[in-house]
Amino acid sequence: MTDANAFDLNTFLPYRLNAVAGRISRAFAERYREEFGISIPEWRVLVHLHQGGDVSVRDVEARVDMEKSKVSRAASRLEAAGYITKAVNDSDRRLLLLRLTPEGEALVARLLPVAIGYQEEMKARLGPLVEGLEAGIAALLDDPK
Amino acid sequence: MTDANAFDLNTFLPYRLNAVAGRISRAFAERYREEFGISIPEWRVLVHLHQGGDVSVRDVEARVDMEKSKVSRAASRLEAAGYITKAVNDSDRRLLLLRLTPEGEALVARLLPVAIGYQEEMKARLGPLVEGLEAGIAALLDDPK
DNA sequence: TTGACTTTGTTGCATATGCAATAAATATTT
DNA sequence: AAATATTTATTGCATATGCAACAAAGTCAA
């Protein structure tokens, strides 16, 4: 059945998955850059800090699907912008304690509604198909690999 | 209901979509780099040339979800590697005619079964959930926007 | 304690990327 | 026809990325 001559990129699942994700991400990134002046890596760090308590670079790396160098650089930019602080963890001086500043908290408070609204838009476009999409993503993402 | 304090990145649809797509793409890219020495942009150009007839950079850009500069650079690398040729389109001398060489055709013939196999693996992992995933992707991707 | 090994975060480096600017060809307007 | 505008592909530039190398701190074993 799988005739290689008939191969069509537009029905190729890995390609399609990557293409949607790219478009969604680009739109999301543009919005965040314009409204808040931050990138997606920075957004992820902020949101993770908002969720968890004291957090190290390693923690962010593990939970947010980013290389540690990417996390490190995002954190440095956020620190320079005054949204987070970096402190040394006294019980293990290799670890950083990343924390939101009051400015960072305020920024997250403005960010989250926009994020949630964006998600709502997506879900509205999907209608009843959301569930199937989420189930498929879960199967690929949360699998033991 | 959407309480911003309860926001959880791991249930945030745009994030999850991007995370799966990233993992799938990285695995795919690694495989293609190791086995064939080509990148995903190059892969896309090759496959598109295999599908269509004579093709310009603009055609690839329109159909393959890539910036024209990315297409241009991928095409240059493929030309240097001997997989495609660039000729001037005599009916409109602004356009290129990109064509697979015999080596390019041979490469594509080896590439496609691997791609199809990769897709099969994905589908096997998804089981009956494939359809829902594909429907969701279609709703987001093929929409009038 | 000493020495070997591991973990954590940062940085250097090579490559990739998007965007704007450009040159060449064509199309359009006057 | 001449002047202007548009389209196509490439390239320069600034930024982003992943990976490997590294320094500092900690762990473990003898």
Side-chain angles (χ1 to χ4, degrees):
Chain A
M1 254 324 78
T2 44
D3 176 7
N5 272 0
F7 186 84
D8 179 6
L9 188 59
N10 271 302
T11 64
F12 186 58
L13 185 53
Y15 166 70
R16 286 179 68 80
L17 183 59
N18 195 71
V20 226
R23 291 198 195 171
I24 300 282
S25 273
R26 275 191 294 275
F28 191 78
E30 191 186 353
R31 193 147 165 184
Y32 269 83
R33 188 176 42 73
E34 286 177 356
E35 285 192 48
F36 306 109
I38 63 170
S39 68
I40 287 186
E42 289 154 22
W43 183 87
R44 288 191 188 171
V45 171
L46 287 173
V47 168
H48 186 66
L49 293 196
H50 178 73
Q51 287 180 214
D54 292 338
V55 155
S56 69
V57 170
R58 179 199 53 179
D59 294 330
V60 182
E61 177 187 18
R63 293 216 169 168
V64 158
D65 195 51
M66 286 170 40
E67 288 279 317
K68 62 181 175 176
S69 63
K70 208 170 174 176
V71 176
S72 174
R73 282 161 174 149
S76 295
R77 290 191 295 266
L78 290 170
E79 187 191 29
Y83 294 130
I84 72 171
T85 57
K86 292 180 186 176
V88 174
N89 183 329
D90 282 319
S91 62
D92 183 342
R93 302 169 52 77
R94 291 169 302 184
L95 301 178
L96 286 185
L97 281 178
L98 302 178
R99 287 207 194 103
L100 290 174
T101 62
E103 292 78 17
E105 291 284 6
L107 180 61
V108 173
R110 289 193 297 135
L111 289 180
L112 289 185
V114 174
I116 290 167
Y118 190 81
Q119 182 177 232
E120 294 305 327
E121 277 175 35
M122 268 184 79
K123 289 186 175 177
R125 287 177 64 192
L126 282 161
L129 299 175
V130 201
E131 299 193 10
L133 180 63
E134 286 181 334
I137 292 175
L140 293 175
L141 200 55
D142 306 329
D143 240 358
K145 158 66 199 179
Chain B
M1 257 330 74
T2 44
D3 176 8
N5 272 359
F7 185 83
D8 179 7
L9 189 58
N10 271 301
T11 64
F12 187 58
L13 185 53
Y15 166 70
R16 287 179 66 79
L17 183 59
N18 197 68
V20 225
R23 291 198 194 170
I24 300 282
S25 272
R26 276 190 294 274
F28 191 78
E30 191 186 354
R31 194 149 165 182
Y32 269 83
R33 190 177 41 74
E34 286 177 356
E35 284 191 49
F36 306 108
I38 62 171
S39 67
I40 287 186
E42 289 153 23
W43 183 87
R44 289 192 186 170
V45 172
L46 286 173
V47 168
H48 185 65
L49 293 197
H50 178 74
Q51 287 181 214
D54 293 338
V55 155
S56 68
V57 169
R58 177 198 56 179
D59 293 331
V60 182
E61 178 187 18
R63 292 216 169 170
V64 159
D65 195 51
M66 286 169 40
E67 288 278 319
K68 62 183 174 176
S69 62
K70 209 169 175 178
V71 175
S72 175
R73 283 161 173 148
S76 294
R77 290 191 295 266
L78 290 170
E79 187 191 29
Y83 294 130
I84 71 170
T85 57
K86 292 180 184 176
V88 174
N89 183 330
D90 283 319
S91 62
D92 182 342
R93 301 169 52 77
R94 291 169 302 184
L95 301 177
L96 286 185
L97 281 178
L98 303 177
R99 289 206 193 104
L100 290 174
T101 62
E103 292 78 17
E105 290 284 6
L107 180 61
V108 173
R110 289 192 298 136
L111 289 180
L112 288 185
V114 173
I116 291 167
Y118 190 81
Q119 181 178 234
E120 295 304 327
E121 277 175 36
M122 270 184 79
K123 290 186 175 178
R125 288 178 62 193
L126 283 161
L129 300 174
V130 202
E131 298 193 9
L133 180 63
E134 286 182 333
I137 292 175
L140 293 175
L141 199 57
D142 305 329
D143 240 358
K145 157 67 196 177

